[in-house]
Amino acid sequence: MKDSISGWYRNVIRNPKYRWWIIGGSLLYLLSPFDISPDFIPIVGWIDDGLIATLLVAELSAWALERLKVRKGEEPVQAVDAPTSGFTSETKTVDVNAVSAE
């Protein structure tokens, strides 16, 4: 169960179509005076800001690495949504010519 939840979360976070929402939302949260835990409480108040800042840095670095790969001419790696059944319409198939051996 843990692997499926963390895999889903990783795929959603790393999906390029959500990247700008995450960057904008995290910037808005960090610049906003309202927090989940107030900053005047030592350590506890800084944990949420640290997690959001980590998420922001991770997204910005992923974006920068993707841009660098595109500039070098490499194919960027893109996350895909986690399939629910294991098979999607984009599943690659291999045709095999089978013969019976008697």
Side-chain angles (χ1 to χ4, degrees):
M1 176 92 174
K2 179 184 173 232
D3 292 331
S4 63
I5 292 173
S6 64
W8 170 82
Y9 180 74
R10 190 176 314 117
N11 286 335
V12 169
I13 292 297
R14 294 287 177 227
N15 196 327
K17 70 180 181 180
Y18 299 121
R19 179 170 292 145
W20 293 108
W21 284 103
I22 294 169
I23 291 171
S26 58
L27 279 174
L28 183 68
Y29 182 82
L30 290 173
L31 296 175
S32 170
F34 303 106
D35 281 342
I36 294 173
S37 58
D39 290 340
F40 65 85
I41 301 172
I43 300 172
V44 176
W46 302 321
I47 290 176
D48 63 330
D49 293 333
L51 291 174
I52 298 296
T54 302
L55 182 63
L56 176 64
V57 169
E59 284 303 312
L60 288 174
S61 64
W63 174 76
L65 287 173
E66 183 178 295
R67 297 285 296 176
L68 184 63
K69 285 183 180 182
V70 168
R71 185 173 288 169
K72 285 185 173 182
E74 297 176 10
E75 185 71 26
V77 177
Q78 295 187 2
V80 295
D81 293 332
T84 55
S85 65
F87 296 101
T88 64
S89 62
E90 297 178 9
T91 301
K92 294 181 181 180
T93 58
V94 177
D95 292 330
V96 177
N97 293 329
V99 294
S100 62
E102 295 180 21

